[in-house]
Every structure is written in structure tokens, then in C-alpha cells.
Amino acid sequence: MNDIMALTIEWLPVVLAMMATGCIAGLLAGLLGVGGGIVIVPVFYFVLETLGVPSSTAILVATGTSLLAIVPTSISSILAHNKRQNIDWILIKRWIPFMLFGVIAGSYLATEIEGRLISGLFGIIAIGVAMNMLLRANAKPFMQQLPHMAGQGVMASIIGFFSGMIGIGGGTLGVPMLSACNYPSHKAVGTAAVFGLLISLPGAMVMLLASTPSNAPQATIGFVNFAGFLCIVPLTVLLAPVGAKLGAKLDSVMLKRIFSLFLCISGSRMLIQFWGG
């Protein structure tokens, strides 16, 4: 009985922290129309730091757990977008080999380099996404159409590489890059849902096969924390519709500004971690 009580006391703060991550990620995803790692990674990272996990390990565990969490949510999103015929399967077939190469390379590199470098990269990308959201919401595309196959291969590799390295889904980089090529917005969002699965599944496998750090939180295999995964995914799915309903009642411009502020703050915090060493 005492052993059960001691185990409960030891696990309770961790479980509550993971549940808080799922709640916040779900509400933000529904409220702001975003999802995946761009929300999960920073929130889970700060939670792990609060629990005493070293920053260099916290960012890698947050990245690996985020990649696994994206798998079921991306499958759900793919099914929904496919019903609306919003997925460009021809583009997907062309991009698969390049994207998989980028994901595996990025995920593997993440397990081999210092965690603070991942923090710095996430910070740069988060702030870049925030600036793009604020400054280029109604901007004209850079190109009138997608480049030739070589250029598309480079685009797919870049999306896969950086997304796999920092644990984010396909929409964060995929949608802006496709939109910059005058790609229809509804097709960009639907196609990026497939990017999410192509990124998260192999990326999570690479993170699972890595050596588990000695200072990682309990229930971690490789760089994936299964306690976090089991708490985050159900609550994210449950609370995303609540956030969506709330978002429908609020001003969309203000919401984008709030989310951009969130990204700037979390991105800056990770850059501080990078520069602080």
C-alpha cells in the first residue's frame, strides 16, 4: 500500500503536467487554427523544464513526443480533407521520396547534436512563422506556380528536414511554402495534412530508436515520453473543438496577433536557452 502511495505521489505531478500540456495545445490548436508541434513542443518543453529535466534533454523529448503525437491527429485530418477532395495526391507521390529523405536526415541529426541547437532552430522558425503570419497575411505570392521537379524536390526536402528536426507537422512550413507558389489555400492545407504523417511517422521511429538519456523523465523510450503522449493526444482531440467554438466568437485578426505573440515569446525563450548554452 505504501509503495502504491509513493508511486502515485511520484507520478502525479508528471501526469498533471502532461495533461496541462494537452489542454493548452488542444485549446490553442482549435482557437488559432494551428496544431502539431508548433504548439506541443514549446508547451511540453517548458513543462519538462519545470519538472527539473535539463533543457538539452527537455527539447529533444518534447520533439520526439510531439512527432508521435502528430501521427493520430494527422490521420484524422487526412480523412477529413480527403472527403472534401482537398488533397493533391499527385503532388504527394512526387514529393514522398524527397520528404522522407529530409525527415530521416533531420530526425537523426537531432539525436546526434546538442539539444540547445534544436532550441535555437525552433526559436528561429517559431519567430519566422509569427512574422509571416503578421506581415504576409495578404501578401502576393513569390511565384505564380510551383517550380520544376528539381525545385519541388528541394522544397520537400527542406520541409521534411526542418520539421523532423524540431518535431513540427507539415502545415507549419508546408502551407506557407505552397502558398508562396500561388498554390490554392484549401489544397495547401489538405495536402499539408499528408505531409504531417510523412514527417511524424518516420521521425517518431528515429526518435524511438535513439538511446534514452539517463536524465529523461519516467516512461521515456528513446526521446519519446509515452506518459506525455497518452495524456496529450486525447486532451488535444477533446479540447480542439472547444477552442474552435471559442475562436469563432472572437476577432480572427486579434487571435493571429495573440498566437504570433505566443510564438515570439516561446521562440525567444528557446533562443535565450541557445545563447545561454
Side-chain angles (χ1 to χ4, degrees):
M1 187 68 180
N2 290 335
D3 290 340
I4 295 175
M5 183 66 70
L7 188 63
T8 301
I9 293 172
E10 184 179 7
W11 272 87
L12 186 59
V14 178
V15 172
L16 291 176
M18 307 304 180
M19 292 176 68
T21 302
C23 290
I24 294 170
L27 284 172
L28 286 175
L31 185 66
L32 302 163
V34 298
I38 200 67
V39 175
I40 295 173
V41 170
V43 175
F44 196 26
Y45 169 72
F46 297 139
V47 166
L48 290 174
E49 272 199 322
T50 303
L51 293 173
V53 178
S55 299
S56 58
T57 299
I59 185 62
L60 289 169
V61 173
T63 298
T65 306
S66 171
L67 285 169
L68 188 61
I70 293 169
V71 173
T73 53
S74 63
I75 291 173
S76 175
S77 182
I78 289 169
L79 294 175
H81 282 292
N82 193 47
K83 287 182 180 178
R84 299 183 180 91
Q85 298 183 333
N86 285 342
I87 298 175
D88 187 344
W89 291 108
I90 296 175
L91 180 82
I92 295 295
K93 290 177 182 178
R94 290 201 306 264
W95 283 30
I96 281 178
F98 301 101
M99 188 163 287
L100 289 180
F101 170 77
V103 171
I104 293 171
S107 301
Y108 176 75
L109 185 60
T111 67
E112 296 295 315
I113 63 177
E114 292 183 39
R116 72 185 191 93
L117 297 177
I118 307 298
S119 299
L121 180 60
F122 188 97
I124 292 170
I125 290 177
I127 293 172
V129 170
M131 292 300 99
N132 181 73
M133 188 177 291
L134 283 175
L135 304 178
R136 289 192 50 80
N138 299 310
K140 293 182 179 179
F142 287 117
M143 302 172 64
Q144 291 306 307
Q145 61 183 14
L146 287 169
H148 294 300
M149 195 58 229
Q152 292 185 42
V154 172
M155 289 175 64
S157 299
I158 289 173
I159 294 170
F161 181 81
F162 288 109
S163 298
M165 182 175 282
I166 65 173
I168 59 177
T172 302
L173 297 178
V175 172
M177 290 183 74
L178 288 173
S179 298
C181 298
N182 202 28
Y183 200 80
S185 58
H186 63 287
K187 285 279 188 181
V189 173
T191 304
V194 183
F195 293 170
L197 185 61
L198 293 175
I199 291 165
S200 59
L201 192 56
M205 291 302 297
V206 172
M207 289 293 189
L208 276 168
L209 294 173
S211 298
T212 305
S214 58
N215 53 12
Q218 297 181 52
T220 299
I221 299 176
F223 289 110
V224 176
N225 183 266
F226 281 90
F229 172 80
L230 292 174
C231 291
I232 289 170
V233 172
L235 288 169
T236 299
V237 173
L238 182 66
L239 290 175
V242 177
K245 289 181 181 179
L246 182 61
K249 299 177 182 178
L250 301 176
D251 181 66
S252 60
V253 175
M254 181 59 68
L255 287 175
K256 285 187 176 181
R257 289 174 179 170
I258 292 171
F259 184 56
S260 297
L261 179 62
F262 164 78
L263 287 179
C264 285
I265 292 173
S266 59
S268 298
R269 173 65 182 80
M270 290 193 177
L271 284 176
I272 290 171
Q273 171 63 34
F274 169 72
W275 290 113

